[in-house]
Amino acid sequence: MATFNIFVLPGDGIGPEVTAEGVRVLEAIGQRFEHVFKFEQDLVGGASIDAHGVAILPEVLEKAKASDAVLFGAVGGPKWDNPNADVRPEQGLLALRSGLQLWANLRPVVAIPALINASTLKPEVIEGVDLVVIRELTSGLYFGKPQERRVVNGRREAVDTNYYNEDEISRVAHLGFRMARERRKKLTSLDKANVMASSRLWREVVTEVSKEYPDVTLEHVLADAMTMYLIRRPRDFDVIIADNMFGDIITDEASMLTGSMGMLPSASIGTLREDGTGLGMYEPIHGSAPDIAGKGLANPLAMILTTAMLLRHSCGLEEEARAVEQAVTDVIEAGDRTADLAAPGAPHLSTREMAERVLARLGA
Ligand code: IPM
Ligand code: MG
């Protein structure tokens, strides 16, 4: 019987209520497939700022590092919203990404037939969309130095640095090609090689790595043009790789394609062991949604699909991951809806009730 240590960081807003359902799903999987999941929980984001004055304590970061996987809710809310504050909830997230060396962020976007009308795009554009964005997560504009404000000759100025070295690029490229190989064998790499030196290096390294994957078709697309292609012909894309900043932007756009952000999981992973698994951090895309927090309105399915990614990438439990994904597909096809998915005025399930439907499908 395998044992997995899961470090739970519920965070703020709807984070705690959806994370609780994720934990229940993992417990159900443990029972059904005879694994032991041990949970430890701590504070991150605004909750940690209120308790300790920082977005994450060093010892909490250490516990995250020592775990097998981190299950993360969401951080932020109006209470801590001042972007000029020295202490901000997002710092917890960035500290985890960099401290755990989670250099790849995976955000799959799959159109679910039963929800096809939830999109603002026409059904015929959305039908069959099945893509994954891999965003570089620990370098580029987010972490390059200098990153500072200063006063020069009495005038305020600020600088961010889009630093990349070839190793940081090639590991993302390899991951992208390996994933594409298991899928539809197409890799789209985003950059602004027409303008930026860092992008020209990105394109050069990705092209070099492509020689090792002759079976995968590579295309380079300028990041600005990609924002158009993504809404015009999203079905054309399979695996997309992007640097930290372009990846941030394109994943927000991608998350809107299907119109059901409450259904989208994400995984942040680093260098994997021989067996293909490794420490990762798993979080739903939707964020803390403070306006609906504590009301039982949140859709737990993104978090539940997030646990499937945790099972797959950190525990190597593919069959278990698929069981969770199937259970979610089944409840959606059966017509179960939380408020975000229900037609206006139509009855809907609470966070807890929706999770119960999934648990029932899992035999819990
Ligand atoms: C994301 C978010 C974060 C980012 C914020 C909250 C710091 O937008 O995970 O995409 O910019 O990376
Ligand atoms: Mg973002």
Side-chain angles (χ1 to χ4, degrees):
M1 220 156 55
T3 300
F4 301 97
N5 294 305
I6 312 297
F7 194 50
V8 183
L9 294 171
D12 309 320
I14 59 170
E17 47 201 291
V18 295
T19 307
E21 305 307 340
V23 167
R24 285 199 179 92
V25 165
L26 288 174
E27 279 170 342
I29 287 289
Q31 268 177 13
R32 171 159 155 201
F33 292 88
E34 304 196 332
H35 308 297
V36 178
F37 294 100
K38 291 192 178 156
F39 299 97
E40 207 184 325
Q41 187 165 318
D42 222 310
L43 300 176
V44 72
S48 176
I49 293 176
D50 287 351
H52 307 299
V54 289
I56 189 164
L57 285 174
E59 53 262 42
V60 173
L61 194 55
E62 288 311 310
K63 283 186 189 166
K65 279 186 202 168
S67 72
D68 292 310
V70 178
L71 191 63
F72 189 98
V75 291
K79 187 172 174 194
W80 314 277
D81 244 0
N82 177 8
N84 291 321
D86 286 335
V87 181
R88 299 183 302 279
E90 294 77 15
Q91 290 163 341
L93 193 55
L94 298 181
L96 282 157
R97 289 174 181 173
S98 129
L100 274 53
Q101 294 177 39
L102 305 174
W103 48 262
N105 181 224
L106 316 183
R107 297 192 181 183
V109 177
V110 183
I112 301 167
L115 297 179
I116 211 84
N117 289 312
S119 176
T120 54
L121 300 181
K122 296 190 184 101
E124 59 265 34
V125 176
I126 291 308
E127 242 156 38
V129 165
D130 179 4
L131 60 85
V132 56
V133 182
I134 305 176
R135 166 188 176 191
E136 198 290 325
L137 206 57
T138 51
S139 187
L141 269 178
Y142 277 62
F143 294 97
K145 297 284 178 293
Q147 180 180 62
E148 63 190 19
R149 250 178 95 119
R150 54 202 179 202
V151 178
V152 177
N153 298 330
R155 190 172 59 176
R156 285 168 299 168
E157 52 178 51
V159 59
D160 295 285
T161 303
N162 201 23
Y163 171 92
Y164 270 104
N165 65 48
E166 58 182 308
D167 300 338
E168 292 166 341
I169 300 167
S170 84
R171 63 190 179 186
V172 170
H174 278 289
L175 181 62
F177 281 109
R178 283 202 305 272
M179 285 188 62
R181 193 168 250 181
E182 302 293 315
R183 296 169 47 103
R184 302 196 309 279
K185 300 190 169 36
K186 179 169 174 193
L187 184 74
T188 304
S189 174
L190 308 190
D191 63 45
K192 280 290 288 182
N194 52 346
V195 179
M196 289 160 62
S198 53
S199 274
R200 284 190 283 276
L201 180 65
W202 181 279
R203 190 175 282 215
E204 189 175 312
V205 172
V206 172
T207 305
E208 285 162 15
V209 170
S210 74
K211 308 286 183 261
E212 294 176 46
Y213 304 86
D215 52 325
V216 176
T217 306
L218 167 66
E219 65 175 0
H220 301 284
V221 175
L222 295 175
D224 53 343
M226 185 64 182
T227 61
M228 300 191 295
Y229 303 152
L230 202 55
I231 50 171
R232 197 180 170 98
R233 46 181 183 88
R235 242 194 322 261
D236 283 0
F237 301 101
D238 180 13
V239 180
I240 299 165
I241 57 173
D243 78 5
N244 207 341
M245 186 52 129
F246 296 144
D248 181 43
I249 295 168
I250 213 75
T251 51
D252 261 21
E253 190 187 14
S255 75
M256 282 289 111
L257 288 175
T258 61
S260 35
M261 193 158 72
M263 301 291 299
L264 296 180
S266 82
S268 299
I269 59 175
T271 303
L272 302 174
R273 295 177 286 258
E274 280 286 288
D275 70 353
T277 67
L279 172 60
M281 181 161 85
Y282 301 86
E283 75 184 287
I285 298 274
H286 51 56
S288 60
D291 50 321
I292 59 164
K295 298 181 180 162
L297 286 173
N299 182 349
L301 295 180
M303 175 52 91
I304 291 173
L305 290 169
T306 293
T307 66
M309 293 191 89
L310 181 154
L311 292 165
R312 174 172 294 125
H313 296 289
S314 280
C315 308
L317 301 175
E318 181 62 30
E319 186 191 347
E320 290 80 345
R322 284 187 194 215
V324 173
E325 288 163 349
Q326 189 60 52
V328 170
T329 306
D330 290 348
V331 297
I332 288 295
E333 278 175 6
D336 295 338
R337 299 285 182 271
T338 38
D340 56 316
L341 301 176
H348 58 81
L349 301 175
S350 70
T351 309
R352 194 75 264 277
E353 288 164 342
M354 179 61 113
E356 286 294 344
R357 300 285 167 101
V358 176
L359 289 166
R361 303 258 170 190
L362 288 171

